[in-house]
Coordinates of all heavy atoms in Angstrom, one line a residue:
K12 N 8.4 -19.2 29.5 CA 7.2 -19.7 29.5 C 6.1 -18.7 30.1 O 5.2 -18.5 29.4 CB 7.1 -21.0 30.5 CG 7.8 -22.1 29.9 CD 7.8 -23.3 30.7 CE 8.5 -24.5 30.2 NZ 8.3 -25.7 31.0
D13 N 6.3 -18.2 31.2 CA 5.2 -17.4 31.9 C 5.8 -15.9 31.8 O 6.7 -15.5 32.4 CB 5.0 -17.7 33.3 CG 3.9 -16.8 33.9 OD1 3.1 -16.3 33.2 OD2 3.9 -16.8 35.0
R14 N 5.1 -15.2 30.9 CA 5.5 -13.8 30.7 C 4.5 -12.8 31.2 O 4.5 -11.7 30.9 CB 5.7 -13.5 29.2 CG 6.9 -14.4 28.6 CD 7.0 -14.0 27.2 NE 8.1 -14.9 26.7 CZ 8.4 -15.0 25.4 NH1 7.7 -14.3 24.5 NH2 9.3 -15.9 25.0
G15 N 3.6 -13.3 32.1 CA 2.6 -12.5 32.6 C 1.4 -12.2 31.7 O 0.8 -11.0 31.7
V16 N 1.4 -12.8 30.5 CA 0.4 -12.4 29.5 C -0.9 -13.3 29.7 O -0.8 -14.6 29.8 CB 0.9 -12.8 28.1 CG1 -0.1 -12.5 27.0 CG2 2.2 -11.8 27.8
N17 N -1.9 -12.7 29.9 CA -3.2 -13.5 30.1 C -3.9 -14.0 28.9 O -4.7 -14.8 28.9 CB -4.2 -12.8 31.0 CG -3.6 -12.4 32.4 OD1 -2.8 -13.2 32.9 ND2 -3.9 -11.2 33.0
Q18 N -3.8 -13.2 27.9 CA -4.5 -13.4 26.5 C -3.7 -12.8 25.4 O -3.1 -11.7 25.6 CB -5.8 -12.8 26.6 CG -6.3 -11.8 25.7 CD -7.8 -11.3 25.9 OE1 -8.4 -11.6 27.0 NE2 -8.2 -10.6 25.0
I19 N -3.9 -13.4 24.2 CA -3.3 -12.8 23.0 C -4.4 -12.7 22.0 O -5.2 -13.6 21.8 CB -2.3 -13.9 22.4 CG1 -1.1 -14.1 23.4 CG2 -1.8 -13.4 21.1 CD1 -0.1 -15.1 23.0
T20 N -4.4 -11.5 21.3 CA -5.4 -11.2 20.4 C -4.7 -11.5 18.9 O -3.6 -10.9 18.6 CB -5.9 -9.8 20.4 OG1 -6.4 -9.5 21.7 CG2 -6.9 -9.5 19.4
Q21 N -5.3 -12.3 18.2 CA -4.8 -12.6 16.8 C -5.8 -12.0 15.8 O -7.0 -12.2 16.0 CB -4.7 -14.1 16.6 CG -4.2 -14.4 15.2 CD -4.0 -15.9 15.1 OE1 -4.2 -16.6 16.0 NE2 -3.5 -16.3 13.9
Y22 N -5.2 -11.1 14.9 CA -6.0 -10.5 13.9 C -5.9 -11.3 12.6 O -4.8 -11.7 12.2 CB -5.7 -9.0 13.7 CG -5.7 -8.2 14.9 CD1 -4.6 -8.0 15.7 CD2 -6.9 -7.7 15.2 CE1 -4.7 -7.3 16.9 CE2 -7.0 -6.9 16.4 CZ -5.9 -6.7 17.2 OH -6.2 -5.9 18.4
G23 N -7.0 -11.4 11.9 CA -7.1 -12.0 10.6 C -6.6 -11.1 9.5 O -6.5 -10.0 9.7
T24 N -6.3 -11.7 8.4 CA -6.0 -10.9 7.3 C -7.2 -10.3 6.6 O -8.1 -11.0 6.3 CB -5.3 -11.8 6.2 OG1 -4.1 -12.3 6.8 CG2 -4.8 -11.0 5.0
R25 N -7.1 -9.0 6.3 CA -8.2 -8.3 5.7 C -8.4 -8.8 4.3 O -7.3 -8.9 3.6 CB -8.0 -6.8 5.8 CG -9.2 -5.9 5.4 CD -8.9 -4.6 5.6 NE -9.0 -4.1 7.0 CZ -10.2 -3.6 7.5 NH1 -11.2 -3.3 6.7 NH2 -10.3 -3.3 8.7
N26 N -9.7 -8.9 3.9 CA -9.9 -9.2 2.4 C -10.1 -8.0 1.6 O -11.2 -7.3 1.6 CB -11.1 -10.2 2.4 CG -11.3 -10.7 0.9 OD1 -10.5 -10.6 0.1 ND2 -12.6 -11.3 0.7
L27 N -9.0 -7.6 1.0 CA -9.1 -6.2 0.2 C -9.6 -6.6 -1.2 O -9.2 -7.6 -1.8 CB -7.8 -5.6 0.2 CG -7.3 -5.2 1.6 CD1 -5.9 -4.6 1.3 CD2 -8.1 -4.2 2.2
K28 N -10.3 -5.7 -1.9 CA -10.7 -5.8 -3.3 C -10.1 -4.6 -4.1 O -10.1 -3.5 -3.6 CB -12.1 -5.8 -3.4 CG -12.8 -7.0 -2.8 CD -14.3 -7.1 -3.0 CE -14.8 -8.2 -2.2 NZ -16.3 -8.4 -2.2
Y29 N -9.5 -5.0 -5.2 CA -8.9 -4.0 -6.0 C -10.0 -3.0 -6.5 O -11.0 -3.5 -6.8 CB -8.1 -4.7 -7.2 CG -7.3 -3.9 -7.9 CD1 -6.0 -3.6 -7.4 CD2 -7.6 -3.2 -9.1 CE1 -5.1 -2.8 -8.0 CE2 -6.6 -2.4 -9.8 CZ -5.4 -2.2 -9.2 OH -4.5 -1.4 -9.9
P30 N -9.7 -1.8 -6.7 CA -10.8 -0.8 -7.1 C -11.4 -1.2 -8.6 O -10.6 -1.6 -9.4 CB -10.1 0.5 -7.2 CG -9.0 0.4 -6.3 CD -8.6 -1.0 -6.3
N31 N -12.7 -1.1 -8.7 CA -13.3 -1.4 -9.9 C -13.2 -0.2 -10.9 O -12.7 0.8 -10.5 CB -14.8 -1.9 -9.7 CG -15.6 -0.7 -9.1 OD1 -15.5 0.4 -9.4 ND2 -16.5 -1.2 -8.2
A32 N -13.7 -0.3 -12.1 CA -13.5 0.7 -13.1 C -14.1 2.1 -12.7 O -13.5 3.2 -12.8 CB -14.1 0.3 -14.5
Q33 N -15.2 2.0 -12.0 CA -16.0 3.2 -11.6 C -15.1 3.9 -10.5 O -15.0 5.1 -10.4 CB -17.3 2.9 -11.1 CG -18.1 4.1 -10.6 CD -19.5 3.9 -10.0 OE1 -19.7 2.7 -9.8 NE2 -20.3 4.8 -9.6
Q34 N -14.6 3.1 -9.5 CA -13.8 3.6 -8.5 C -12.5 4.3 -9.0 O -12.0 5.3 -8.6 CB -13.5 2.6 -7.4 CG -14.7 2.2 -6.6 CD -14.5 0.9 -5.8 OE1 -13.7 0.1 -6.1 NE2 -15.2 0.8 -4.7
M35 N -11.9 3.5 -10.1 CA -10.6 4.0 -10.6 C -10.8 5.4 -11.3 O -9.8 6.2 -11.2 CB -10.1 2.9 -11.6 CG -9.6 1.7 -11.0 SD -8.0 1.9 -10.1 CE -6.9 1.8 -11.5
S36 N -12.0 5.6 -11.8 CA -12.2 6.9 -12.5 C -12.3 8.0 -11.4 O -12.1 9.2 -11.8 CB -13.5 6.8 -13.3 OG -14.6 6.7 -12.5
Q37 N -12.4 7.7 -10.1 CA -12.5 8.7 -9.1 C -11.1 9.1 -8.4 O -11.0 9.8 -7.5 CB -13.4 8.3 -8.0 CG -14.8 8.1 -8.5 CD -15.8 7.5 -7.3 OE1 -15.6 8.0 -6.2 NE2 -16.5 6.6 -7.7
L38 N -10.1 8.3 -9.0 CA -8.8 8.6 -8.4 C -7.8 9.3 -9.4 O -8.0 9.2 -10.6 CB -8.1 7.1 -8.2 CG -8.8 6.2 -7.2 CD1 -8.1 4.8 -7.1 CD2 -8.8 6.9 -5.8
T39 N -6.8 9.9 -8.8 CA -5.7 10.4 -9.6 C -4.5 9.5 -9.3 O -4.2 9.1 -8.3 CB -5.3 11.9 -9.0 OG1 -6.5 12.7 -9.2 CG2 -4.2 12.4 -9.9
I40 N -4.0 9.0 -10.5 CA -2.9 8.1 -10.3 C -1.5 8.8 -10.8 O -1.4 9.2 -11.9 CB -3.2 6.9 -11.3 CG1 -4.6 6.3 -11.1 CG2 -2.0 5.8 -11.1 CD1 -4.8 5.7 -9.7
L41 N -0.7 8.9 -9.8 CA 0.6 9.4 -10.1 C 1.6 8.2 -10.4 O 1.3 7.2 -10.0 CB 1.2 10.2 -8.9 CG 0.3 11.3 -8.3 CD1 0.9 12.0 -7.1 CD2 0.1 12.4 -9.4
T42 N 2.6 8.5 -11.2 CA 3.7 7.4 -11.5 C 4.9 7.8 -10.9 O 5.3 8.9 -10.7 CB 3.7 7.3 -13.0 OG1 4.3 8.6 -13.5 CG2 2.5 6.9 -13.6
H43 N 5.7 6.8 -10.6 CA 7.0 6.9 -10.1 C 7.9 5.7 -10.7 O 7.4 4.6 -10.7 CB 7.0 6.7 -8.6 CG 8.4 6.8 -7.9 ND1 9.2 7.8 -7.7 CD2 9.2 5.6 -7.6 CE1 10.3 7.4 -7.2 NE2 10.4 6.1 -7.2
V44 N 9.0 6.0 -11.2 CA 9.9 5.0 -11.8 C 10.8 4.6 -10.7 O 11.5 5.3 -10.1 CB 10.7 5.6 -12.9 CG1 11.7 4.5 -13.5 CG2 9.8 6.1 -14.0
W45 N 10.7 3.2 -10.4 CA 11.5 2.6 -9.3 C 12.9 2.8 -9.6 O 13.4 2.3 -10.6 CB 11.1 1.0 -9.2 CG 11.4 0.5 -7.9 CD1 12.4 -0.5 -7.7 CD2 10.8 0.7 -6.8 NE1 12.5 -0.8 -6.4 CE2 11.4 -0.1 -5.7 CE3 9.6 1.3 -6.2 CZ2 11.1 -0.2 -4.4 CZ3 9.3 1.4 -4.9 CH2 10.0 0.5 -4.0
A46 N 13.7 3.2 -8.5 CA 15.1 3.5 -8.8 C 15.8 2.9 -7.4 O 15.2 2.6 -6.5 CB 15.3 5.0 -8.9
Y47 N 17.1 2.9 -7.5 CA 18.0 2.5 -6.4 C 17.7 3.3 -5.1 O 17.5 4.5 -5.2 CB 19.4 2.6 -6.8 CG 20.4 2.3 -5.7 CD1 20.7 0.9 -5.5 CD2 21.0 3.1 -4.8 CE1 21.5 0.5 -4.6 CE2 21.9 2.7 -3.9 CZ 22.0 1.4 -3.6 OH 22.9 0.9 -2.7
G48 N 17.5 2.6 -4.0 CA 17.1 3.2 -2.8 C 15.7 3.4 -2.5 O 15.3 3.8 -1.4
D49 N 14.8 3.1 -3.5 CA 13.4 3.3 -3.2 C 12.9 2.2 -2.3 O 13.3 1.1 -2.3 CB 12.6 3.2 -4.6 CG 12.6 4.5 -5.4 OD1 13.0 5.5 -4.8 OD2 12.4 4.5 -6.5
Q50 N 11.9 2.7 -1.5 CA 11.2 1.7 -0.6 C 9.8 2.1 -0.5 O 9.5 3.4 -0.7 CB 11.7 1.8 0.8 CG 13.2 1.4 0.9 CD 13.4 -0.1 0.8 OE1 12.5 -0.9 1.3 NE2 14.4 -0.6 0.1
Y51 N 8.8 1.2 -0.4 CA 7.4 1.6 -0.3 C 7.1 2.6 0.8 O 6.4 3.6 0.6 CB 6.5 0.4 -0.1 CG 6.3 -0.5 -1.4 CD1 6.2 -1.9 -1.2 CD2 6.0 0.1 -2.6 CE1 6.0 -2.8 -2.3 CE2 5.7 -0.8 -3.7 CZ 5.7 -2.1 -3.6 OH 5.4 -2.9 -4.6
Y52 N 7.8 2.3 1.9 CA 7.5 3.3 2.9 C 7.9 4.8 2.7 O 7.3 5.7 3.2 CB 8.1 2.8 4.4 CG 9.4 3.1 4.6 CD1 10.0 4.2 5.1 CD2 10.5 2.0 4.2 CE1 11.3 4.4 5.3 CE2 11.8 2.3 4.4 CZ 12.3 3.5 4.8 OH 13.7 3.6 5.2
K53 N 8.9 4.9 2.0 CA 9.5 6.2 1.6 C 8.6 6.9 0.6 O 8.2 8.0 0.7 CB 10.9 6.3 0.9 CG 12.0 5.8 1.9 CD 13.3 5.6 1.1 CE 14.4 5.2 2.0 NZ 15.8 5.1 1.2
L54 N 7.9 6.1 -0.4 CA 7.0 6.7 -1.3 C 5.7 7.1 -0.6 O 5.2 8.1 -0.9 CB 6.7 5.6 -2.4 CG 7.7 5.4 -3.4 CD1 7.2 4.2 -4.4 CD2 8.2 6.5 -4.2
A55 N 5.3 6.2 0.3 CA 4.1 6.6 1.1 C 4.3 7.8 1.9 O 3.4 8.6 2.1 CB 3.8 5.4 2.1
H56 N 5.5 8.0 2.6 CA 5.7 9.2 3.2 C 5.8 10.4 2.3 O 5.1 11.5 2.8 CB 7.2 9.1 3.9 CG 7.5 10.4 4.7 ND1 8.2 11.3 4.2 CD2 7.2 10.8 6.0 CE1 8.4 12.3 5.0 NE2 7.8 12.0 6.1
D57 N 6.5 10.4 1.2 CA 6.5 11.5 0.2 C 5.0 11.7 -0.4 O 4.8 12.9 -0.6 CB 7.4 11.1 -0.9 CG 8.9 11.2 -0.5 OD1 9.2 11.6 0.7 OD2 9.7 10.6 -1.3
S58 N 4.2 10.7 -0.6 CA 2.9 10.8 -1.3 C 1.8 11.2 -0.5 O 1.0 12.0 -0.7 CB 2.7 9.7 -2.2 OG 3.6 9.4 -3.0
Y59 N 1.9 10.5 0.8 CA 0.6 10.7 1.8 C 1.1 11.3 3.1 O 0.1 11.5 3.9 CB 0.2 9.2 2.1 CG -0.2 8.4 0.9 CD1 0.1 7.1 0.8 CD2 -0.8 9.0 -0.2 CE1 -0.2 6.3 -0.3 CE2 -1.2 8.2 -1.3 CZ -0.9 6.8 -1.3 OH -1.3 6.1 -2.5
G60 N 2.4 11.5 3.4 CA 2.9 12.1 4.6 C 2.7 11.0 5.7 O 2.8 11.3 6.9
D61 N 2.5 9.7 5.3 CA 2.4 8.7 6.3 C 3.0 7.4 5.9 O 2.5 6.7 4.9 CB 1.0 8.5 6.6 CG 0.8 7.4 7.7 OD1 1.7 6.8 8.2 OD2 -0.4 7.2 8.1
P62 N 4.4 7.1 6.4 CA 5.0 5.8 5.8 C 4.3 4.5 6.0 O 4.5 3.7 5.5 CB 6.3 5.9 6.5 CG 6.2 6.8 7.8 CD 5.1 7.8 7.4
S63 N 3.3 4.6 7.1 CA 2.6 3.3 7.4 C 1.6 3.0 6.4 O 1.0 1.8 6.4 CB 1.9 3.5 8.7 OG 0.9 4.3 8.8
K64 N 1.3 3.8 5.4 CA 0.5 3.6 4.3 C 1.2 2.9 3.2 O 0.7 2.9 2.0 CB -0.3 4.8 3.9 CG -1.1 5.4 5.0 CD -2.3 4.7 5.3 CE -3.2 5.4 6.3 NZ -2.9 5.3 7.7
W65 N 2.4 2.4 3.3 CA 3.2 1.8 2.3 C 2.4 0.6 1.7 O 2.5 0.4 0.5 CB 4.5 1.2 2.8 CG 4.2 0.1 3.8 CD1 4.1 0.2 5.1 CD2 4.1 -1.3 3.5 NE1 3.9 -1.1 5.7 CE2 4.0 -2.1 4.7 CE3 4.1 -2.0 2.2 CZ2 3.8 -3.4 4.8 CZ3 3.9 -3.5 2.4 CH2 3.8 -4.1 3.6
W66 N 1.6 0.0 2.4 CA 0.9 -1.2 1.8 C -0.2 -0.8 0.7 O -0.5 -1.6 -0.1 CB 0.1 -2.0 3.0 CG -0.9 -1.2 3.8 CD1 -0.6 -0.3 4.9 CD2 -2.3 -1.1 3.4 NE1 -1.9 0.3 5.2 CE2 -2.8 -0.2 4.3 CE3 -3.0 -1.6 2.4 CZ2 -4.1 0.2 4.3 CZ3 -4.3 -1.2 2.4 CH2 -5.0 -0.4 3.2
V67 N -0.6 0.3 0.8 CA -1.6 0.9 -0.2 C -1.0 0.9 -1.6 O -1.5 0.4 -2.6 CB -2.1 2.3 0.3 CG1 -2.9 2.8 -0.9 CG2 -2.9 2.3 1.5
I68 N 0.3 1.4 -1.7 CA 1.0 1.4 -2.9 C 1.2 0.0 -3.3 O 1.1 -0.4 -4.5 CB 2.2 2.2 -2.8 CG1 1.8 3.7 -2.4 CG2 3.1 2.2 -4.1 CD1 3.0 4.6 -2.0
A69 N 1.8 -0.9 -2.5 CA 2.1 -2.2 -2.7 C 0.9 -2.9 -3.3 O 1.0 -3.6 -4.3 CB 2.6 -2.9 -1.5
F70 N -0.2 -2.9 -2.5 CA -1.4 -3.6 -3.0 C -2.0 -3.1 -4.3 O -2.4 -3.8 -5.2 CB -2.6 -3.5 -2.0 CG -3.8 -4.3 -2.2 CD1 -3.9 -5.6 -2.1 CD2 -5.0 -3.6 -2.7 CE1 -5.0 -6.3 -2.4 CE2 -6.0 -4.3 -3.1 CZ -6.1 -5.6 -3.0
F71 N -2.0 -1.7 -4.5 CA -2.6 -1.0 -5.7 C -1.7 -1.6 -6.9 O -2.3 -1.7 -8.0 CB -2.4 0.4 -5.6 CG -3.2 1.1 -6.7 CD1 -4.6 1.3 -6.6 CD2 -2.6 1.6 -7.9 CE1 -5.3 1.9 -7.6 CE2 -3.3 2.3 -8.8 CZ -4.6 2.4 -8.8
N72 N -0.4 -1.7 -6.7 CA 0.4 -2.2 -7.9 C 0.5 -3.8 -8.0 O 1.1 -4.3 -8.8 CB 1.8 -1.6 -7.6 CG 1.8 -0.2 -8.0 OD1 2.0 0.1 -9.2 ND2 1.7 0.6 -7.1
Q73 N -0.2 -4.4 -7.0 CA -0.2 -5.9 -7.0 C 1.2 -6.5 -7.0 O 1.6 -7.5 -7.5 CB -1.0 -6.5 -8.1 CG -2.4 -6.0 -8.0 CD -3.2 -6.6 -9.2 OE1 -2.9 -7.3 -10.0 NE2 -4.5 -6.1 -9.2
K74 N 2.1 -5.7 -6.2 CA 3.5 -6.2 -6.0 C 3.7 -6.1 -4.4 O 4.0 -5.0 -3.9 CB 4.4 -5.3 -6.7 CG 4.3 -5.1 -8.1 CD 4.8 -6.3 -8.8 CE 4.7 -6.1 -10.3 NZ 5.0 -7.3 -11.1
P75 N 3.5 -7.1 -3.6 CA 3.4 -7.0 -2.2 C 4.7 -6.7 -1.5 O 4.7 -6.2 -0.4 CB 3.0 -8.5 -1.8 CG 3.2 -9.3 -3.0 CD 3.3 -8.5 -4.2
T76 N 5.9 -6.8 -2.1 CA 7.2 -6.5 -1.6 C 8.0 -5.9 -2.5 O 7.9 -5.8 -3.7 CB 8.0 -7.7 -1.0 OG1 8.4 -8.5 -2.1 CG2 7.2 -8.6 -0.1
E77 N 9.1 -5.0 -2.1 CA 9.9 -4.3 -2.9 C 10.7 -5.3 -3.8 O 11.2 -4.9 -4.9 CB 11.0 -3.4 -2.1 CG 10.3 -2.1 -1.5 CD 9.8 -2.4 -0.1 OE1 9.7 -3.5 0.5 OE2 9.4 -1.4 0.5
S78 N 10.9 -6.5 -3.4 CA 11.7 -7.4 -4.2 C 10.9 -7.9 -5.5 O 11.6 -8.5 -6.3 CB 12.1 -8.7 -3.4 OG 11.0 -9.4 -3.0
D79 N 9.6 -7.5 -5.4 CA 8.8 -7.9 -6.6 C 9.1 -6.9 -7.8 O 8.5 -7.0 -8.9 CB 7.3 -7.9 -6.3 CG 7.1 -9.1 -5.5 OD1 7.5 -10.2 -5.8 OD2 6.3 -8.9 -4.5
L80 N 9.8 -5.8 -7.4 CA 10.0 -4.7 -8.4 C 11.4 -4.7 -8.9 O 12.3 -5.2 -8.2 CB 9.7 -3.4 -7.7 CG 8.3 -3.1 -7.2 CD1 8.2 -2.0 -6.3 CD2 7.4 -3.0 -8.4
R81 N 11.6 -4.2 -10.1 CA 12.9 -4.1 -10.7 C 13.2 -2.6 -11.0 O 12.2 -1.9 -11.2 CB 13.0 -5.0 -12.1 CG 12.7 -6.3 -12.0 CD 13.8 -7.2 -11.3 NE 13.7 -8.5 -11.0 CZ 13.4 -9.1 -10.0 NH1 13.3 -8.4 -8.9 NH2 13.1 -10.4 -9.9
F82 N 14.4 -2.2 -11.1 CA 14.7 -0.8 -11.3 C 14.1 -0.5 -12.8 O 14.2 -1.3 -13.8 CB 16.2 -0.5 -11.4 CG 17.0 -0.7 -10.1 CD1 18.2 -1.5 -10.1 CD2 16.4 -0.4 -9.0 CE1 18.8 -1.7 -8.9 CE2 16.9 -0.6 -7.8 CZ 18.1 -1.2 -7.7
G83 N 13.5 0.7 -12.9 CA 12.8 1.1 -14.1 C 11.3 0.7 -14.2 O 10.6 1.2 -15.2
T84 N 10.8 -0.1 -13.2 CA 9.5 -0.4 -13.2 C 8.6 0.9 -12.8 O 9.0 1.6 -12.0 CB 9.2 -1.5 -12.2 OG1 9.9 -2.7 -12.5 CG2 7.7 -1.8 -12.1
V85 N 7.4 1.0 -13.5 CA 6.6 2.2 -13.2 C 5.8 1.8 -12.0 O 5.1 0.7 -12.2 CB 5.9 2.6 -14.4 CG1 4.8 3.8 -14.1 CG2 6.7 3.1 -15.5
V86 N 5.7 2.5 -11.0 CA 5.0 2.2 -9.8 C 3.8 3.3 -9.8 O 4.1 4.5 -10.0 CB 5.7 2.3 -8.6 CG1 4.9 2.1 -7.3 CG2 6.9 1.4 -8.5
Y87 N 2.5 2.9 -9.6 CA 1.3 3.7 -9.6 C 1.0 4.1 -8.2 O 0.8 3.2 -7.3 CB 0.2 3.1 -10.4 CG 0.6 2.8 -11.8 CD1 1.0 1.5 -12.2 CD2 0.6 3.8 -12.7 CE1 1.5 1.2 -13.5 CE2 0.9 3.5 -14.1 CZ 1.3 2.3 -14.4 OH 1.7 2.0 -15.7
I88 N 0.8 5.4 -7.9 CA 0.5 5.8 -6.6 C -0.9 6.6 -6.6 O -1.1 7.6 -7.3 CB 1.5 6.9 -6.1 CG1 2.9 6.1 -6.1 CG2 1.1 7.3 -4.6 CD1 4.1 7.1 -5.9
P89 N -2.0 5.9 -6.0 CA -3.2 6.4 -6.1 C -3.5 7.5 -5.1 O -3.0 7.5 -3.9 CB -4.2 5.2 -5.7 CG -3.3 4.3 -4.9 CD -1.9 4.5 -5.3
H90 N -4.3 8.5 -5.6 CA -4.7 9.6 -4.7 C -6.2 9.9 -4.9 O -6.7 9.6 -6.0 CB -3.9 10.8 -5.1 CG -2.5 10.9 -4.6 ND1 -2.2 11.4 -3.4 CD2 -1.3 10.4 -5.1 CE1 -0.9 11.2 -3.2 NE2 -0.4 10.6 -4.2
P91 N -6.9 10.5 -4.0 CA -6.4 10.9 -2.6 C -6.5 9.6 -1.8 O -7.2 8.7 -2.0 CB -7.5 11.9 -2.2 CG -8.7 11.7 -3.0 CD -8.3 11.1 -4.3
I92 N -5.6 9.5 -0.7 CA -5.5 8.4 0.1 C -6.8 8.0 0.9 O -7.1 6.9 1.0 CB -4.4 8.5 1.1 CG1 -4.0 7.2 1.9 CG2 -4.6 9.7 2.0 CD1 -3.6 6.0 1.0
E93 N -7.5 9.1 1.3 CA -8.8 8.8 1.9 C -9.8 8.0 1.1 O -10.4 7.2 1.5 CB -9.4 10.1 2.5 CG -8.5 10.9 3.3 CD -7.4 11.7 2.7 OE1 -7.4 11.9 1.6 OE2 -6.6 12.2 3.5
R94 N -9.8 8.4 -0.2 CA -10.7 7.7 -1.1 C -10.3 6.3 -1.3 O -11.1 5.3 -1.3 CB -10.9 8.3 -2.5 CG -12.0 7.7 -3.3 CD -12.4 8.7 -4.5 NE -13.1 9.9 -3.9 CZ -12.9 11.1 -4.4 NH1 -12.3 11.3 -5.5 NH2 -13.6 12.0 -3.8
V95 N -9.0 6.0 -1.5 CA -8.4 4.7 -1.7 C -8.8 3.8 -0.6 O -9.2 2.7 -0.7 CB -6.9 4.8 -1.9 CG1 -6.4 3.4 -2.2 CG2 -6.6 5.6 -3.2
L96 N -8.5 4.3 0.8 CA -8.9 3.6 1.9 C -10.3 3.2 2.1 O -10.6 2.1 2.5 CB -8.3 4.4 3.1 CG -6.8 4.6 3.4 CD1 -6.4 5.4 4.5 CD2 -6.2 3.2 3.4
S97 N -11.1 4.2 1.7 CA -12.6 3.9 1.7 C -13.0 2.7 0.7 O -13.9 1.9 1.0 CB -13.4 5.1 1.4 OG -13.5 5.5 0.0
F98 N -12.3 2.8 -0.5 CA -12.6 1.6 -1.5 C -12.2 0.3 -0.9 O -12.7 -0.7 -1.2 CB -11.9 1.9 -2.7 CG -12.3 3.1 -3.6 CD1 -11.5 3.6 -4.5 CD2 -13.5 3.5 -3.3 CE1 -12.0 4.7 -5.2 CE2 -14.0 4.7 -4.0 CZ -13.2 5.3 -5.1
Y99 N -11.0 0.3 0.0 CA -10.5 -0.9 0.6 C -11.2 -1.3 1.8 O -11.0 -2.2 2.4 CB -9.0 -0.8 0.8 CG -8.1 -0.7 -0.3 CD1 -6.9 -0.1 -0.2 CD2 -8.4 -1.2 -1.6 CE1 -6.0 -0.1 -1.3 CE2 -7.6 -1.0 -2.6 CZ -6.4 -0.6 -2.5 OH -5.5 -0.5 -3.5
G100 N -12.2 -0.4 2.2 CA -13.0 -0.7 3.5 C -12.2 -0.4 4.8 O -12.5 -1.1 5.7
V101 N -11.2 0.4 4.7 CA -10.4 0.8 5.9 C -10.7 1.9 6.4 O -11.1 3.0 5.8 CB -9.0 0.7 5.5 CG1 -8.0 1.1 6.7 CG2 -8.5 -0.5 4.9

């Protein structure tokens, strides 16, 4: 019951918008064929050097979890990460 916590901060879900056509033209899109052992965080580490950016790949592909992908699915990885994040307002 009492854990010495005086307050809890709850964060809302960010409202992200998919890049429009003009923004897409400013990106380089790499492809990856989903294979056994793949995880979003591994792709983010390999592509961006930061596994915590896994959600960028998931959102960009409109596949929120790895279970939404099948082996052989082409996954799109947008670059540069800084520009993608600016489009998402992050």
Side-chain angles (χ1 to χ4, degrees):
K12 289 183 178 184
D13 184 20
R14 297 182 184 170
V16 176
N17 296 327
Q18 118 184 10
I19 297 174
T20 304
Q21 183 174 354
Y22 297 97
T24 302
R25 186 175 283 262
N26 185 14
L27 301 175
K28 294 184 179 170
Y29 198 77
N31 62 36
Q33 180 185 12
Q34 292 169 330
M35 290 289 276
S36 70
Q37 299 175 40
L38 298 175
T39 300
I40 311 297
L41 304 180
T42 60
H43 173 81
V44 178
W45 197 256
Y47 180 79
D49 282 345
Q50 297 288 321
Y51 280 142
Y52 78 89
K53 291 179 184 178
L54 289 179
H56 179 267
D57 293 345
S58 298
Y59 306 136
D61 184 353
S63 72
K64 299 292 188 271
W65 65 270
W66 62 270
V67 173
I68 300 168
F70 183 78
F71 191 81
N72 285 275
Q73 299 179 6
K74 304 285 186 189
T76 66
E77 287 95 348
S78 64
D79 293 310
L80 298 166
R81 303 284 178 254
F82 298 138
T84 300
V85 176
V86 175
Y87 300 100
I88 305 169
H90 285 273
I92 186 63
E93 296 80 14
R94 185 164 294 147
V95 178
L96 293 174
S97 73
F98 294 157
Y99 291 161
V101 177

